[in-house]
Amino acid sequence: RRAVADDSSDIEVYFGCGCFWHVQHEFVMAEKKLLGRSDLQITSRAGYAGGSGMQDGKVCYHNAAQISDYGSLGHAEVVRLRIPPTSFRAFAEEYVKLFDKDGNRPDQLGDRGLEYRNVVGIPGGGGSPLAKELVDASRENGDKLDFAKGKGGDPDARAVAFVMDTNSHPFYLGELYHQFHDGFAWGEDYPGEYNGITKKLVKSNMLADAGCPNGMLGVGIAGL
């Protein structure tokens, strides 16, 4: 299903189901397929949402200094997009396709905890007409998920996605080293052209560092 891009009316939404690396790749591909966007037009960004706001003006990945830790703040790993409202249904279908027939996300038996819970953020939350489109997309693609109103800091529940209101639970941009990263699964290495989108966006002043410590030991994710 091809949607028509219209930057003037784009809305901000986010999707989360486990590690955001794989999810970002899938939505970058969806933006290109559904909206015909180029690398510099891509709006998919890895980050955090669904918790209790910021600490010291930021939200950060786990780090040795425990500065503004997203898990402690109740946030989940998500991918934010800016898309036309008319294309939301198509992107919701891409989201539900990430789950298997039993509602398991790709890393269901790996990453666990509220940081990896299933979340969908839309303007207006469960009261938005977009929420019905989300549910319909799920029903027409195997009826894999149940949906619940997100309250913030919700638990990690299999086959349940928490619907958040982006007005009260906004998106917080993740660190540069998390953007356009290879997937979490063994052998899930993406082409260099994909990884290189980060540099393109930074050079064009369309992506900037979030001001967080760089990993557990200050030199990269998990200190690597």
Side-chain angles (χ1 to χ4, degrees), residues 13-15 29 55 64 70 116 125 129 146 152 162 168 179 183 185 189 191 213 215:
V13 300
Y14 56 76
F15 298 93
M29 296 300 103
Q55 184 178 50
Y70 80 105
Y116 304 105
D146 289 325
F162 294 94
S168 56
Q179 307 299 329
D189 300 325

Side-chain angles (χ1 to χ4, degrees), residues 47-128:
Y48 316 105
S52 57
M54 298 183 287
Q55 184 178 50
D56 299 324
K58 56 197 169 195
V59 178
C60 302
Y61 190 71
H62 304 308
N63 59 88
Q66 300 183 351
I67 294 173
S68 307
D69 183 284
Y70 80 105
S72 298
L73 293 169
H75 290 294
E77 295 188 9
V78 303
V79 172
R80 180 268 283 162
L81 304 94
R82 293 187 176 123
I83 57 176
T86 53
S87 71
F88 177 77
R89 172 63 177 269
F91 281 89
E93 290 178 357
E94 296 298 320
Y95 177 67
V96 299
K97 289 175 183 176
L98 295 175
F99 299 84
D100 71 12
K101 63 181 179 62
D102 298 314
N104 294 306
R105 60 175 182 260
D107 61 351
Q108 190 72 51
L109 301 179
D111 292 327
R112 301 181 186 182
L114 62 80
E115 297 100 320
Y116 304 105
R117 67 190 184 272
N118 309 319
V119 294
V120 178
I122 51 179
S128 167

Side-chain angles (χ1 to χ4, degrees), residues 20-39:
F20 45 21
W21 294 342
H22 173 76
V23 177
Q24 183 178 31
H25 176 264
E26 297 308 296
F27 279 109
V28 167
M29 296 300 103
E31 284 193 78
K32 291 188 174 189
K33 177 181 72 173
L34 297 172
L35 299 177
R37 288 177 170 171
S38 67
D39 287 349

